């Protein structure tokens, strides 16, 4: 009954490879996000999708491509991985409907990506 | 863009002590949340608190939106409270995070 689930939890890969991280939410939220947490623990938004439509793209290299097949899923594909891509990537979803249980932002458990 | 500042950056407590964490933000926001990132890296939502005061067990939070700050109170701290506490504000259809407060509770 996990609200926001992402896979894999850990990903170790070599420079130059292409990898994907998957995210699914069962909260019925309309908006999903990808956040990146760097080595100093700073969290910053990368992308957001509302009902399968891209609404935020925060100057992320075009090697990163989000894909949303439906409003419950937002996957992140990364081409030609670089050492600097090593970080923890969090998926999140939100629905701001006050006075309902499903308001605010809910985060997945994160994917720790290590590029070697 | 908006600035979100948290203080203190680091805090060490003896088990049983109380503490107050502060979050200042530079512009009006739609919403504010407090998160706890535990030592395993999970981001746990503590409070959704755009204004007013809420309590949940030993934790409580107060947001004064007109003065652009929020406070998180931790009473009778336990070692399991250790981790990083983040304040995040919703601004421009996204959640913007502060740099966090690293809390260590010693037994």
């Amino acid at each position: 009954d996990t609200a926001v689930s992402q896979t894999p939890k850990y990903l170790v890969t070599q420079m130059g490879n292409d990898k994907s991280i998957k995210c699914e939410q069962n909260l019925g939220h309309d908006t999903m996000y990808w956040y990146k947490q760097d080595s100093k623990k700073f969290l910053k938004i990368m992308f957001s999708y509302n009902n399968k439509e891209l609404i935020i793209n925060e100057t992320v290299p075009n090697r990163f491509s989000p894909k949303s097949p439906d409003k419950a899923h937002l996957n992140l594909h990364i081409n030609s991985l670089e050492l600097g891509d090593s970080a923890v990537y969090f998926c999140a979803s939100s629905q701001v409907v006050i006075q309902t249980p499903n308001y605010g932002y809910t985060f997945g458990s994160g994917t720790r990506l290590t590029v070697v | 863009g908006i600035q979100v500042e948290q203080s203190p950056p680091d805090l060490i407590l003896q088990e049983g002590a109380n503490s107050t964490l502060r979050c200042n933000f530079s512009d009006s926001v739609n919403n504010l949340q407090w998160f706890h990132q535990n030592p395993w890296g999970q981001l746990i939502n503590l409070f959704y608190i755009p204004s007013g005061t809420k309590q949940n067990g030993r934790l409580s939070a107060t947001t004064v939106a007109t003065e652009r700050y929020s406070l998180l109170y931790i009473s009778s701290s336990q070692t399991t409270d250790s981790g990083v506490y983040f304040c995040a504000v919703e601004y421009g259809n996204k959640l913007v995070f502060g740099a966090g407060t690293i809390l260590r509770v010693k037994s």
Side-chain angles (χ1 to χ4, degrees), chain B residues 70-86:
Chain B
S70 183
L71 303 172
L72 178 69
Y73 305 95
I74 304 174
S75 64
S76 304
S77 58
Q78 300 176 358
T79 56
T80 52
D81 295 332
S82 296
V84 185
Y85 289 81
F86 290 103

Side-chain angles (χ1 to χ4, degrees), chain B residues 31-66:
Chain B
N31 301 306
L32 186 145
Q33 283 183 253
W34 282 96
F35 293 89
H36 174 218
Q37 188 167 35
N38 64 24
W40 295 271
Q42 290 178 302
L43 274 169
I44 313 289
N45 180 26
L46 298 176
F47 293 102
Y48 172 90
I49 185 162
S51 63
T53 297
K54 290 185 178 179
Q55 179 149 11
N56 185 0
R58 296 181 296 103
L59 302 181
S60 64
T62 295
T63 297
V64 183
T66 53

Side-chain angles (χ1 to χ4, degrees), chain A residues 35 37 41 58 103 105, chain B residues 33 37 48 90 94-95:
Chain A
Y35 278 79
Q37 186 173 41
K41 300 284 189 182
E58 287 280 309
Y103 55 74
Y105 288 66
Chain B
Q33 283 183 253
Q37 188 167 35
Y48 172 90
E90 186 171 26
K94 63 188 177 187
L95 210 56

